[in-house]
Amino acid sequence: MKIEFTKMHGLGNDYIYVNTMKYPLTNLEEKSIAWSRPHTGIGSDGLVLIGDSDKADFSMRIFNADGSEAKMCGNASRCIGKYLYEYGLTTKTDILLDTLSGIKELHLQVKEGKVESVRVDMGIPADIHWVDLGDAYPFQKGVAVSMGNPHLVIFVDKMEEVALAEVGPVLERHPLFPDRVNVEFAQVLDKENIRMRVWERGSGITQACGTGACATAVAAAFSGQCGSHATICMDGGDLTIDWAGEGQHLYMIGPAVKVFDGTIELKE
Ligand SMILES: N[C@@H](CCC[C@H](N)C(=O)O)C(=O)O
């Protein structure tokens, strides 16, 4: 059987998207691992499933490249908005998306039939607190933030001094985070601009992380370094974040891009 998929990216954070209303899939962990591999698979940061929902307009499930399932993905939520609209699954520009971390509201900005950017109500950031990582670790302090999935934001003075590929996997498995954690290194450039690089749980270094950008803006505001509006500058590009403070909803705005459509043969 042949499965149709679409490769999409949000600022270089690339996933394989499958409409499971048309192609119900099984063995999802296995598929995410095999299809994400760059040389022998399609190559991606993971697999995203678009489905129906009895609580919202549509649903999203996200699997990292190591097969682990996450509860939320910021970049994929924007890409799903584009997919749904441009493949004619909806004519709505306000879409409710059911995720494992609750229902998120997408607002599509459409120009000449194409979705140019998507604003996502990412819900209320939770569990924001300083963490002491301990002397045995290359960085001693960070801010933990839940955006539905777990994040650890570490502020640094010079991004170029962070050996991300070395410290990322060590911090991802810090004992304070039994479910592992996404690790963001953040350099505050000024009150509204933050440079950020990410080591994603289950996928490693990626070009951008939507929930990671949200967590970074939250950690910067929480620690008094930024205000309610921030641009997060990642390797793959910029995301705009608006957050009025604790207990408030956070909004993320950014692009979504289709790379190509393809088919893959199922061997099971
Ligand atoms: N790239 C994503 C987050 C994907 C899931 C993450 N690696 C996790 O395991 O929590 C984003 O754009 O938010």
Side-chain angles (χ1 to χ4, degrees), residues 3 5 16 18 25 30-38 40-44 46-47 49 264-266:
I3 302 292
F5 69 88
I16 299 157
V18 175
L25 295 180
E30 218 173 81
K31 285 190 178 62
S32 188
I33 295 170
W35 294 358
S36 297
R37 284 195 185 115
T40 55
I42 298 163
S44 69
L47 172 65
L49 308 178
I264 188 156
E265 201 145 340
L266 277 192

Side-chain angles (χ1 to χ4, degrees), residues 38-226:
H39 302 294
T40 55
I42 298 163
S44 69
D45 293 325
L47 172 65
V48 175
L49 308 178
I50 304 168
D52 54 12
S53 166
D54 49 12
K55 299 197 277 291
D57 295 314
F58 295 94
S59 67
M60 164 175 88
R61 287 183 72 186
I62 150 95
F63 291 82
N64 292 312
D66 72 350
S68 58
E69 183 168 16
K71 288 191 173 161
M72 180 52 193
C73 179
N75 288 325
S77 62
R78 297 196 316 280
C79 288
I80 287 188
K82 185 178 178 76
Y83 183 105
L84 293 169
Y85 190 85
E86 293 188 8
Y87 284 85
L89 276 76
T90 188
T91 53
K92 288 186 180 181
T93 51
D94 289 302
I95 299 169
L96 295 179
L97 189 65
D98 192 2
T99 76
L100 290 181
S101 77
I103 294 175
K104 312 292 171 192
E105 195 174 329
L106 317 179
H107 177 70
L108 313 183
Q109 271 136 24
V110 181
K111 197 171 167 197
E112 291 164 8
K114 297 278 172 206
V115 176
E116 291 210 318
S117 69
V118 181
R119 188 189 63 162
V120 185
D121 178 345
M122 297 287 287
I124 302 175
D127 211 8
I128 309 160
H129 59 281
W130 283 103
V131 288
D132 184 351
L133 300 166
D135 292 340
Y137 287 85
F139 298 87
Q140 277 74 52
K141 242 169 69 158
V143 178
V145 179
S146 171
M147 288 305 308
N149 57 353
H151 292 270
L152 169 66
V153 181
I154 296 173
F155 291 102
V156 295
D157 293 331
K158 288 186 184 154
M159 187 61 80
E160 59 281 11
E161 289 179 0
V162 176
L164 190 56
E166 281 168 35
V167 295
V170 175
L171 291 165
E172 176 189 355
R173 293 175 185 277
H174 192 287
L176 282 176
F177 301 94
D179 295 332
R180 299 188 284 154
V181 70
N182 297 288
V183 185
E184 286 85 28
F185 286 94
Q187 181 184 346
V188 177
L189 304 175
D190 59 43
K191 279 269 174 202
E192 293 201 334
N193 292 284
I194 306 172
R195 171 82 178 106
M196 186 271 267
R197 293 195 74 209
V198 60
W199 175 272
E200 279 197 42
R201 174 177 71 165
S203 293
I205 295 174
T206 62
Q207 296 275 293
C209 177
T211 49
C214 299
T216 300
V218 169
F222 172 74
S223 56
Q225 302 179 78
C226 286

